């Protein structure tokens, strides 16, 4: 879905051209890319962080790959299947060589799994994906993975861990940063990394998959959105990710720039406190006295959803870069339910529901949210506050840096309980397994079982819980997905969360470059190619 | 003199100790680093594991004691995010910031001082009014706004200079810097100007104020009466008398240039310490923030020491306190 | 020279001051800047009465009005003479209200920081020795704290709001005053007229207040006017970095920084008009401060 609008160039562009400025045509072999962030390490097992993981796919391969919509594809494993309720068998790809020349075999996988779970000083390890799994080498190219309980998502977990050469099982993170140990099987080889400045990779001529076009890719981290756009317009770089919504019009009106957009799986949602204890200070009556959360009543949650004009937010705040949402997944993405549509703006019905719930006299609400974490986050909150004020909920907004927000969001209240009554946050499914958002946000909070760590509003429905748990232990993946969609339907109709929108991910490049994109807002360099 | 310096060093160590205590407790008030580090999809035991590994499960005083014992042996801890020694990370990025700050300071003095003297000597002329008006602009325009504006004008529309980043570096007399390559200089121009503009304005205003004040004094009138050339009056009588407040401010400003180049570095994606530390603050990477602040305080202490010594040299009336007996 | 200074600093009579005042305030630049400053202050104080809409009332502001060009009509029929911002606020009203916030922040923080800095600087310079050392080391610590860290911590501990921004700016700025005052005062301290005053057995308080202060204040006034202007820009930068005043109650600085996002897309008015207002205010403060400096400096007053 390529968008190249040829509106009449605005005056400034005209000046630029009259001064003889033109987009420099970079050589076809080298590509310069500006990304919003850089990896924290070159060690693919150091930190389970989105930017690290997406960069790791350039130098390394996992057993299972994910396409841009997180569908599973063969990687270093050509096929996989469950051989019984608790065992999966993976057939490995023959003839693959690491960048240092050594051959890939099942032993490398076992070594990798051992290292991935135990990197010293890891701020977020990959142990989550190896826990409870036993790896057994059958022959050089066959591997069996057994789990303690039936677990249908073993292939998903295996798509998260980059395979390294067994020779480097004891390599330190520093060895990967300097390049001593960073040999993968991926489409690029690691050249050098100057933290904060640049990161360089080179084409792997012996890649087992389809070869990439670029000899070298130079990546520069530019965190400021306007600077990134400017770097592309000035021809300093050929490709950027995350165009700021407000910069989109000028890029669209400029000749020689291509823009790529797709609805991402990053959801912005509101969570509304729905139990009567404790009484939080963020909802007060007309005398400023705190009252129990009105959102215990499903009608009030629905009223909030109906009062939000999602279309206006998309057009006015996001410059078209959001798609109204009614559930976790965007259309066409794993776990999407056809029964759920985004709520349409209906302030009249919202007011009726508020009256019916007994809050016709209104109340004061303070909403919280992070500043600078999601695209236009504070502006969206401000717009929502306007909309709620219009249906009689006197709303004010308090935003704070993410570092402050997430602590208070998770456990800022008394007894380390979640602090806020109404808060906006975001979510994107990193694993591509459909039960993930349900396990995190919807299931009743049960810490020791790993359920509901993100359930901050006290939503609890035993029927939904059962659907989630059944689905997660069924080796019949189609059956599981049906259960998850059913659970999603019920939870969303009860407004366990109020979905706002999915962000539309953007990339921009000088003309002649194309990017294959999907629901992931990360950038995968090997999908950038020159137009044929 | 020596007694003075020794006394200062002892005080400084005390300052560093208090400083580390403050920063340590401050960061703990802000948030929990674990929220910023651990991927939310991780299992609960992973969160506990990270908290344990980084010692965050301990009471703050225990954490501080651990830090202190490490600090005495020169280990300020590993960055939570990068897993590498915090001091090494700072040392790695420091040259980029130093070259940016130095260029900005040179610009500030070489542009600000002559303009300020001119404005002070001809206070009612149009030139002075334009200079002073410009200096008001330089102070009140936010740095980030000006930086982005400069990028839009000079890089995007005129295409003269690169938008961001540090250019090629070269090694000269053992110093690795982008000053020594043409590409490096081209990358340096915009951020250096951006960073220096506020300082230029301050130097202009301080110089002008000093000049006006000194020119009204009797010894200048006397020098004029003696028929000395105005060039000579400026050099021999004016400059030495206006330098003290300017040096104080510049010393502080050089510290702030280095310490707080954060905004300029963020806008221009300059790979310096400022960018590192602002990311560290945002992500609650405590070891980096603590190490960085200790580093900056040390820098300030040294600068202030130098300023005090220069005072003594420039103005014999000021005696160093250690010498007083 | 010694006699001249004693005469000008400590034995000024009232008539002299009155004359100096008159002379200074009758100059056109002083009148102009003073008048402008007065006007700006009036606008800020009476913003709620003169603004066409209330930009802080979320029930009135609507994103359906966002980014209207100057002169266009809003949904409720009001004409937005200077256009609207990204949230649909009338820029004219937002400027008036924002001015109020910005001036409050800038003046309060500069004033409080100045008083603290002045006291600390004078005490350090006058007493010297341990006191000086102790205070100056505190100043060193303070100067090395980045504004953003202070703001972040205050935000975490206290929550968001204008008062917190003022506190943060005071904490960031007082040390600069202290250091500058001390630098000038320490030179003055050694001059003969102070020694003369000490010989006359004047009280410490009297010496500091009557002699040290008037003679050290000149660079301080320059600094204070600069810092007032600068604190408006620091406050804007804090907004740029995601801390500062609440987004629903923008100051002049945050209007400018938010509006800048739209400049590439052509909605220049969101950042331009508040920018002009900011510059006018800052220029007025500075010119006025400059006159004040001439007035207050015993060496420059004739």
């Amino acid at each position: 879905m390529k968008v190249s609008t040829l509106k009449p160039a605005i005056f400034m562009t005209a000046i630029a051209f009259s001064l003889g400025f033109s987009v420099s045509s970079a050589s076809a072999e080298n590509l310069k890319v500006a990304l919003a962030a850089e990896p924290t390490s070159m060690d693919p097992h150091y930190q389970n962080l989105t930017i690290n993981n997406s960069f790791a796919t350039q130098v390394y391969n996992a057993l299972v790959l994910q396409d841009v919509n997180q569908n599973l594809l063969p990687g270093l494993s050509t096929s996989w299947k469950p051989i019984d309720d608790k065992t999966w068998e993976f057939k490995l790809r023959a003839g693959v060589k690491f960048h240092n020349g050594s051959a890939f075999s099942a032993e490398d996988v076992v070594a990798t799994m051992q290292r991935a779970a135990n990197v010293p000083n890891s701020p977020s390890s990959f142990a989550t994906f190896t826990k409870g799994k036993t790896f057994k080498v059958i022959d050089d190219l066959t591997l069996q993975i057994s789990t303690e309980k039936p677990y249908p998502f073993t292939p998903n977990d295996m798509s998260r861990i980059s395979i390294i050469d067994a020779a480097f099982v004891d390599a330190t993170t520093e060895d990967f940063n300097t390049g001593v140990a960073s040999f993968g099987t991926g489409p690029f080889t690691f050249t050098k990394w100057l933290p904060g400045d640049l990161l360089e990779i080179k084409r792997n001529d012996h890649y087992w998959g389809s070869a990439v076009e670029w000899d070298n890719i130079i990546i520069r981290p530019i965190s400021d959105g306007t600077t990134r756009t400017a770097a592309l317009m000035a021809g300093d770089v050929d490709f950027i990710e995350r165009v700021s919504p407000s910069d989109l019009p000028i890029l669209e009106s400029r000749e020689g720039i291509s823009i790529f957009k797709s609805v991402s799986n990053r959801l912005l949602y509101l969570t509304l406190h729905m139990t009567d204890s404790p009484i939080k200070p963020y909802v007060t009556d007309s005398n400023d006295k705190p009252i129990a959360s009105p959102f215990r009543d499903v009608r009030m949650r629905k009223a909030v959803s109906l009062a939000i004009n999602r279309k206006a937010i998309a057009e006015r705040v996001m410059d078209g870069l959001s798609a109204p949402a009614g559930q976790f997944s965007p259309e066409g993405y794993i776990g999407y339910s056809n029964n759920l549509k985004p709520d349409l703006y209906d302030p009249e019905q919202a007011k009726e529901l508020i009256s019916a719930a007994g809050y016709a006299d209104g109340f004061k609400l303070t909403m919280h949210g992070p500043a600078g974490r999601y695209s236009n986050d504070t502006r969206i909150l401000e717009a929502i506050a306007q909309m709620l004020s219009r249906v009689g909920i006197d709303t004010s907004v308090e935003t704070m840096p993410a570092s402050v927000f997430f602590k208070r969001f998770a456990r800022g209240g008394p007894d380390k309980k979640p602090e806020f009554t109404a808060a906006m946050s975001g979510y994107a499914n990193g694993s591509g397994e459909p039960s993930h958002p349900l396990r995190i946000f919807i299931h009743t909070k049960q810490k020791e079982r790993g359920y509901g760590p993100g359930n901050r509003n006290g939503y609890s429905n035993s029927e939904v819980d059962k659907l989630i748990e059944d689905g997660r232990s069924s080796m019949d993946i189609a059956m599981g997905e049906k259960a998850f969609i059913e659970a999603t339907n019920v939870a969303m109709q009860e407004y366990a969360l109020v979905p706002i929108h999915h962000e539309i991910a953007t990339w921009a490049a000088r003309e002649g470059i194309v990017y294959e994109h999907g629901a992931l807002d990360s950038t995968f360099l090997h999908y950038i190619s020159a137009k044929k | 003199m020596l007694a003075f310096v020794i006394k200062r060093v002892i005080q400084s160590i005390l300052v560093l100790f208090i400083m580390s205590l403050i920063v340590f407790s401050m960061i703990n008030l802000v948030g929990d680093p674990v929220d910023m580090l651990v991927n939310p999809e991780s299992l609960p035991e992973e969160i506990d594991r990270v908290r344990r590994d980084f010692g965050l499960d301990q009471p703050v005083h225990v954490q501080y004691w651990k830090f202190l014992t490490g600090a005495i042996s020169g280990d300020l801890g590993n960055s939570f995010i990068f897993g590498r020694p915090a001091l090494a990370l700072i040392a790695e990025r420091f040259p980029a910031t130093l070259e940016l700050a130095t260029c900005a300071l040179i610009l500030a003095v070489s542009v600000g001082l002559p303009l300020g003297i001119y404005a002070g000597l001809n206070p009612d002329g149009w030139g002075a009014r334009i200079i002073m008006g410009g200096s008001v602009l330089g102070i009140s325009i936010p740095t980030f706004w000006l930086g982005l504006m400069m990028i839009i004008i000079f890089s995007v529309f005129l295409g003269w200079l690169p938008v961001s980043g540090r250019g090629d570096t070269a090694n000269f007399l053992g110093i690795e810097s982008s000053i020594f390559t043409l590409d490096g200089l081209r990358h340096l121009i915009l951020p250096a100007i951006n960073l220096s503009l506020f300082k230029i304005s301050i130097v202009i205003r301080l110089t002008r104020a000093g000049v006006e004040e000194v020119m009204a004094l009797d010894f200048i009138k006397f020098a004029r009466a003696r028929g000395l050339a105005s060039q000579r009056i400026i050099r021999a009588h004016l400059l030495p008398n206006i330098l003290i407040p300017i040096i104080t401010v510049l010393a502080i400003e050089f510290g702030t240039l280095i310490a707080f180049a954060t905004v300029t570095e963020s806008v221009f994606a300059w790979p310096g310490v400022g960018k590192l530390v602002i990311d560290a603050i945002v992500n609650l990477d405590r070891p980096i923030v603590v190490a960085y602040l200790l580093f900056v305080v040390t820098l300030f202490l040294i600068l202030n020491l130098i300023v005090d010594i220069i005072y003594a040299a420039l103005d014999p009336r000021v005696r160093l306190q250690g010498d007083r007996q | 020279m010694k006699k001249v200074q004693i005469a000008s600093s400590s034995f000024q009579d009232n008539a002299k001051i009155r004359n100096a005042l008159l002379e200074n305030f009758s100059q056109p630049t002083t009148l102009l800047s003073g008048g402008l400053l007065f006007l700006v202050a009036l606008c800020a104080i009476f913003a709620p009465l003169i603004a066409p809409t209330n930009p802080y009332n979320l029930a009135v502001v609507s994103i359906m009005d966002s980014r209207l060009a100057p002169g266009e009509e809003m949904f409720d029929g009001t004409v937005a003479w200077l256009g609207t911002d990204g949230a649909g606020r009338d820029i004219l009203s937002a400027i008036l209200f924002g001015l109020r916030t910005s001036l409050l922040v800038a003046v309060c923080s500069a004033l409080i920081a100045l008083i603290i800095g002045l006291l600390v600087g004078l005490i350090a310079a006058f007493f010297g020795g341990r006191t000086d050392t102790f205070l100056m080391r505190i100043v060193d610590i303070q100067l090395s704290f980045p504004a953003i860290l202070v703001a972040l911590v205050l935000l975490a501990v206290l929550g968001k709001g204008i008062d917190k921004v003022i506190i943060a700016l005071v904490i960031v700025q007082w040390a600069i005053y202290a250091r500058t005052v001390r630098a000038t005062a320490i030179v003055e301290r050694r001059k003969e007229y102070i020694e003369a005053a000490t010989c006359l057995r004047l009280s410490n308080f009297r010496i500091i207040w009557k002699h040290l202060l008037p003679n050290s204040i000149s660079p301080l006034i320059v600094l204070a006017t600069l810092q007032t202007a600068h604190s408006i820009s620091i406050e804007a930068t804090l907004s740029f970095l995601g801390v500062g005043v609440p987004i629903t109650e923008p100051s002049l600085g945050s209007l400018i920084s938010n509006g800048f996002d739209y400049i590439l897309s052509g909605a220049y008015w969101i950042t331009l008009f508040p920018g002009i207002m900011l510059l006018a205010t800052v220029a007025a403060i500075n010119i006025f401060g400059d006159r004040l400096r001439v007035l207050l400096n015993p060496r420059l007053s004739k």
Side-chain angles (χ1 to χ4, degrees):
Chain A
M1 177 173 110
K2 179 181 166 295
V3 183
S4 64
T5 331
L6 297 171
K7 285 182 200 153
I10 70 158
F11 73 105
M12 287 196 272
T13 325
I15 293 170
F17 275 101
S18 68
L19 284 165
F21 167 80
S22 66
V23 178
S24 64
S25 54
S27 65
E29 300 83 34
N30 287 347
L31 182 75
K32 287 187 227 151
V33 173
L35 300 184
E38 68 175 338
T40 58
S41 171
M42 290 297 115
D43 178 347
H45 307 139
Y46 173 69
Q47 185 178 14
N48 177 16
L49 183 74
T50 311
I51 173 73
N52 287 28
N53 296 345
S54 59
F55 178 75
T57 62
Q58 305 306 305
V59 179
Y60 303 89
N61 292 127
L63 286 184
V64 179
L65 304 187
Q66 294 185 359
D67 71 4
V68 286
N69 288 315
Q70 291 187 310
N71 297 307
L72 301 182
L73 299 173
L76 288 180
S77 164
T78 48
S79 66
W80 51 90
K81 61 173 193 294
I83 49 176
D84 61 52
D85 251 14
K86 294 179 186 172
T87 313
W88 284 81
E89 187 173 271
F90 287 76
K91 290 280 178 205
L92 306 187
R93 196 174 291 275
V96 176
K97 284 200 167 16
F98 287 99
H99 298 159
N100 60 351
S102 55
F104 162 72
S105 79
E107 291 299 341
D108 296 310
V109 180
V110 177
T112 296
M113 296 305 156
Q114 189 196 331
R115 181 175 191 275
N118 299 298
V119 176
N121 291 329
S122 164
S124 179
S125 85
F126 289 83
T128 305
F129 307 117
T130 59
K131 192 190 165 236
K133 297 187 180 71
T134 320
F135 298 86
K136 196 167 136 203
V137 176
I138 304 299
D139 60 50
D140 265 4
L141 296 176
T142 313
L143 183 80
Q144 283 181 1
I145 303 177
S146 39
T147 51
E148 290 153 0
K149 282 178 291 186
Y151 185 63
F153 304 120
T154 301
N156 292 79
D157 285 358
M158 287 303 106
S159 74
R160 306 299 298 282
I161 298 179
S162 301
I163 304 296
I164 58 163
D165 183 352
F168 298 107
V169 65
D170 293 321
T172 63
T173 296
E174 200 57 23
D175 292 337
F176 281 88
N177 287 340
T178 53
V180 179
S182 33
F183 302 108
T185 55
F188 293 96
T189 60
F190 171 77
T191 311
K192 67 169 170 186
W193 183 36
L194 303 175
D197 195 6
L198 64 86
L199 174 54
E200 213 176 308
I201 52 177
K202 193 167 156 247
R203 179 174 54 210
N204 170 15
D205 288 322
H206 310 290
Y207 185 48
W208 58 265
S210 51
V212 286
E213 287 182 37
W214 317 101
D215 283 347
N216 292 288
I217 296 187
I218 296 151
I219 304 154
R220 289 195 177 272
I222 303 183
S223 55
D224 187 83
T226 311
T227 311
R228 217 159 44 239
T229 302
L232 177 67
M233 288 168 76
D236 281 11
V237 297
D238 307 309
F239 182 93
I240 60 170
E241 66 173 359
R242 294 186 199 207
V243 179
S244 300
S246 48
D247 292 339
L248 194 67
I250 189 165
L251 282 185
E252 282 181 334
S253 68
R254 200 177 172 92
E255 282 178 52
I257 302 265
S258 315
I259 293 169
F260 314 97
K261 302 181 197 176
S262 51
V263 179
S264 78
N265 65 350
R266 185 169 303 279
L267 172 80
L268 257 70
Y269 65 86
L270 275 184
T271 167
L272 302 168
H273 179 56
M274 49 183 89
T275 60
D276 49 6
S277 77
I279 290 180
K280 301 183 179 184
Y282 302 119
V283 183
T284 56
D285 62 14
S286 50
N287 302 322
D288 291 325
K289 205 171 125 307
I291 53 172
S293 172
F295 307 113
R296 288 168 300 160
D297 189 330
V298 66
R299 288 174 294 187
M300 289 302 293
R301 305 200 290 271
K302 186 171 185 190
V304 166
S305 183
L306 291 172
I308 297 174
N309 189 345
R310 294 174 174 78
K311 204 165 144 255
I313 293 177
E315 284 169 5
R316 297 284 172 159
V317 181
M318 297 297 291
D319 280 280
L321 290 185
S322 70
Q327 54 183 303
F328 286 110
S329 301
E331 197 168 346
Y333 183 79
I334 25 189
Y336 180 79
S337 161
N338 290 314
N339 301 341
L340 296 167
K341 294 278 173 276
D343 275 339
L344 292 174
Y345 178 51
D346 191 344
E348 293 315 314
Q349 200 194 338
K351 280 184 205 160
E352 281 165 28
L353 284 167
I354 291 173
S355 297
Y359 291 95
D361 296 336
F363 55 90
K364 287 183 191 156
L365 171 69
T366 307
M367 274 200 308
H368 294 82
R373 180 75 168 195
Y374 308 104
S375 178
N376 278 334
D377 45 16
T378 55
R379 289 186 184 143
I380 296 164
L381 262 178
E382 191 181 13
I384 292 174
Q386 289 177 3
M387 292 159 182
L388 295 185
S389 294
R390 271 158 198 266
V391 296
I393 303 174
D394 185 0
T395 311
S396 57
V397 169
E398 207 180 299
T399 58
M400 59 206 84
S403 53
V404 179
F405 175 78
F406 284 110
K407 180 184 178 185
R408 291 175 63 186
F409 188 38
R411 50 181 182 286
D415 301 330
K416 300 208 163 193
K417 291 262 169 48
E419 177 179 345
F420 306 130
T421 297
M424 187 181 83
S425 187
Y427 164 77
N429 188 341
S431 64
E433 58 108 332
S435 79
H436 187 260
L438 299 169
R439 169 173 77 83
I440 303 278
F441 296 103
I442 302 300
H443 195 286
T444 308
K445 192 166 189 141
Q446 289 170 354
K447 192 186 173 211
E448 54 299 339
R449 296 177 61 207
Y451 279 115
N455 183 341
R456 302 199 163 112
N457 55 14
Y459 177 77
S460 178
N461 181 330
S462 53
E463 177 204 352
V464 173
D465 289 354
K466 188 170 181 309
L467 281 168
I468 298 172
E469 286 173 35
D470 286 354
R472 281 179 62 81
S473 55
S474 157
M475 292 298 270
D476 182 343
I477 290 167
M479 277 280 289
E481 269 178 27
K482 241 179 92 187
F484 300 142
I485 286 176
E486 186 48 35
T488 305
N489 285 341
V490 177
M492 289 300 149
Q493 272 150 14
E494 293 183 340
Y495 295 93
L497 295 173
V498 179
I500 301 165
H501 63 227
H502 289 107
E503 287 178 2
I504 291 182
T506 45
W507 297 265
R510 66 171 168 80
E511 201 148 52
I513 290 177
V514 284
Y515 182 62
E516 187 192 333
H517 49 95
L520 290 180
D521 55 7
S522 316
T523 301
F524 297 90
L525 301 167
H526 61 294
Y527 289 134
I528 306 174
S529 56
K531 201 185 287 175
K532 293 284 150 30
Chain B
M1 182 71 189
L2 189 67
F4 171 75
V5 174
I6 289 172
K7 214 168 160 185
R8 263 300 183 80
V9 170
I10 294 170
Q11 287 165 12
S12 306
I13 291 171
L14 205 71
V15 166
L16 288 177
F17 170 75
I18 298 168
M19 175 79 185
S20 65
L21 196 67
I22 297 174
V23 179
F24 216 85
S25 33
M26 271 168 86
I27 298 269
N28 270 318
L29 284 175
V30 175
D32 187 343
V34 175
D35 291 324
M36 306 303 289
L37 294 171
V38 180
N39 195 314
E41 66 183 330
S42 302
L43 295 168
E45 57 255 42
E46 173 63 14
I47 294 170
D48 295 340
R49 197 273 305 162
V50 172
R51 193 163 275 142
R52 220 171 32 245
D53 275 14
F54 290 175
L56 295 165
D57 54 339
Q58 310 273 343
V60 182
H61 63 269
V62 176
Q63 294 183 38
Y64 181 69
W65 179 248
K66 232 173 102 189
F67 162 80
L68 208 61
T69 46
I72 287 164
S73 58
D75 172 19
L76 295 182
N78 278 352
S79 154
F80 292 158
I81 292 176
F82 301 101
R84 302 175 50 203
L87 266 184
L89 283 163
I90 290 171
E92 195 176 282
R93 305 273 189 112
F94 190 61
T97 300
L98 190 65
E99 78 187 23
L100 185 62
T102 311
C103 289
L105 189 74
I106 292 171
L107 268 174
V109 175
S110 56
V111 177
L113 209 57
L115 287 181
I117 292 176
Y118 175 83
L121 292 176
N122 316 284
D124 298 318
W126 278 107
R129 275 164 207 249
I130 292 170
I131 291 169
M132 296 322 287
S135 75
V136 173
L137 277 179
I139 286 160
S140 41
I141 295 180
T143 311
F144 72 92
W145 195 89
L146 194 73
L148 290 170
M149 215 57 190
M150 281 176 18
I151 289 176
I152 290 173
I153 295 170
F154 294 105
S155 305
V156 178
F157 293 124
L158 298 174
W160 293 348
L161 294 165
V163 170
S164 70
R166 193 181 182 207
D168 300 335
T169 58
N171 200 311
F172 182 72
L173 299 177
I175 303 166
E176 181 88 19
S177 171
S178 63
I179 302 174
F180 308 124
T181 66
L182 192 66
D183 180 58
L185 279 175
R186 276 165 44 82
H187 278 84
L188 195 57
I189 293 175
L190 286 185
I193 293 179
N194 182 237
L195 189 58
S196 70
L197 230 73
F198 179 71
K199 311 302 167 198
I200 292 178
S201 307
I202 290 211
V203 173
I204 288 180
R205 298 188 76 85
L206 283 169
T207 312
R208 204 268 314 236
V211 169
E212 278 194 345
E213 201 165 297
V214 173
M215 288 307 276
L217 293 181
D218 298 347
F219 70 92
I220 297 277
K221 288 179 189 154
F222 183 65
R224 276 205 175 139
R226 272 170 58 201
L228 292 181
S230 53
Q231 279 289 333
R232 191 174 149 72
I233 297 180
I234 293 175
R235 214 171 322 118
H237 299 282
L238 181 65
L239 275 180
N241 278 289
I242 59 171
L243 279 179
I244 282 203
I246 295 177
I247 285 175
T248 318
V249 173
L250 280 187
I252 296 175
E253 292 298 333
F254 188 62
T256 47
L257 273 174
I258 288 176
F260 313 141
T262 45
V263 174
T264 300
E265 288 185 5
S266 294
V267 170
F268 289 92
W270 189 262
V273 187
K275 183 84 178 68
L276 178 74
V277 82
I278 204 155
D279 290 346
I281 289 172
V282 166
N283 292 312
L284 299 176
D285 195 346
R286 189 180 66 199
I288 290 191
V289 179
V290 174
Y292 170 79
L293 287 173
L294 289 178
F295 174 77
V296 172
V297 172
T298 314
L299 195 79
F300 266 83
L301 291 171
I302 294 171
L303 281 173
N304 284 329
L305 181 63
I306 294 171
V307 168
D308 286 344
I309 292 172
I310 293 177
Y311 267 11
L314 284 183
D315 191 337
R317 283 170 296 181
V318 179
R319 279 163 302 165
L320 296 179
Q321 278 152 24
D323 291 348
R324 237 197 332 215
Q325 295 81 16
Chain C
M1 193 171 121
K2 175 181 158 195
K3 275 177 190 156
V4 174
Q5 275 166 345
I6 289 181
S8 62
S9 62
S10 51
F11 302 112
Q12 281 168 334
D13 59 28
N14 284 338
K16 211 166 185 176
I17 293 178
R18 209 176 308 126
N19 282 341
L21 268 171
L22 279 175
E23 189 189 321
N24 248 294
F25 278 96
S26 54
Q27 281 188 12
T29 21
T30 320
L31 280 178
L32 200 72
S33 63
L36 189 59
L37 205 58
F38 185 66
L39 200 71
V40 165
L42 275 187
C43 285
I45 293 164
F46 295 109
L49 298 178
I50 49 178
T53 62
N54 179 354
Y56 293 174
N57 183 351
L58 287 180
V60 178
V61 179
S62 164
I63 54 162
M64 299 316 287
D65 289 329
S66 71
R67 283 179 262 167
L68 294 178
E72 280 187 58
E73 205 171 283
M74 298 196 289
F75 259 62
D76 62 2
T78 330
V79 178
W81 292 109
L82 299 182
T84 60
D85 74 355
R89 271 181 291 263
D90 171 37
I91 293 279
L92 179 61
S93 313
I95 286 177
L96 292 170
F97 274 74
L99 188 64
R100 201 176 149 92
T101 313
S102 290
L103 275 185
L104 190 74
V105 168
V107 172
C108 286
S109 62
L111 218 59
I112 301 171
L114 186 140
I115 293 168
I116 299 175
L118 194 66
L119 283 177
V120 172
L122 287 178
I123 291 171
F126 185 79
F127 292 103
R130 289 246 165 93
T131 323
D132 183 29
T133 310
F134 176 72
L135 290 174
M136 283 308 110
R137 291 306 83 79
I138 297 180
V139 165
D140 292 345
I141 296 183
Q142 186 54 64
L143 282 176
S144 45
F145 269 107
I148 179 167
L149 183 68
V150 175
L152 252 177
V153 171
L154 282 170
L155 184 78
V157 181
L158 307 168
K160 209 166 188 170
I162 292 165
D163 44 341
K164 281 91 186 177
V165 176
I166 293 176
I167 297 173
L169 286 178
V170 168
I171 293 177
V172 171
Q173 295 184 64
W174 72 270
I176 304 175
Y177 292 104
R179 186 101 177 116
T180 314
V181 173
R182 183 225 177 224
T184 354
I186 212 162
V187 175
E188 292 296 327
R189 170 88 181 85
R190 318 276 167 184
K191 286 192 178 159
E192 294 89 336
Y193 71 97
I194 298 282
E195 274 171 33
T198 321
C199 290
L200 289 170
R201 294 200 170 265
L202 298 179
S203 73
N204 284 345
F205 176 78
R206 196 178 152 82
I207 296 176
I208 292 179
W209 183 250
K210 283 281 198 180
H211 301 274
L212 209 46
L213 176 68
N215 283 294
S216 315
I217 210 162
S218 164
L220 196 68
I221 295 291
V222 184
L223 196 66
T225 48
L226 287 181
Q227 288 293 339
T228 311
H230 188 44
S231 60
I232 297 180
S233 116
I234 297 181
E235 185 261 311
T237 307
L238 286 176
S239 308
F240 173 71
L241 294 172
V243 295
V245 298
I247 182 165
T248 50
E249 294 172 12
S251 64
L252 223 43
S254 51
L255 276 176
I256 295 171
S257 72
N258 286 331
F260 192 82
D261 289 355
Y262 300 107
I263 199 160
L264 275 177
S265 65
Y268 62 90
W269 57 89
I270 307 178
T271 188
L272 183 69
F273 294 128
I276 292 174
M277 191 66 196
L278 178 87
L279 287 184
T281 312
V282 166
I285 296 175
N286 275 284
I287 299 167
F288 195 74
D290 224 36
R291 304 315 307 181
L292 208 62
R293 175 184 69 92
V294 176
L295 182 73
L296 288 176
N297 189 339
R299 272 180 232 158
L300 287 181
S301 59
K302 287 142 202 148

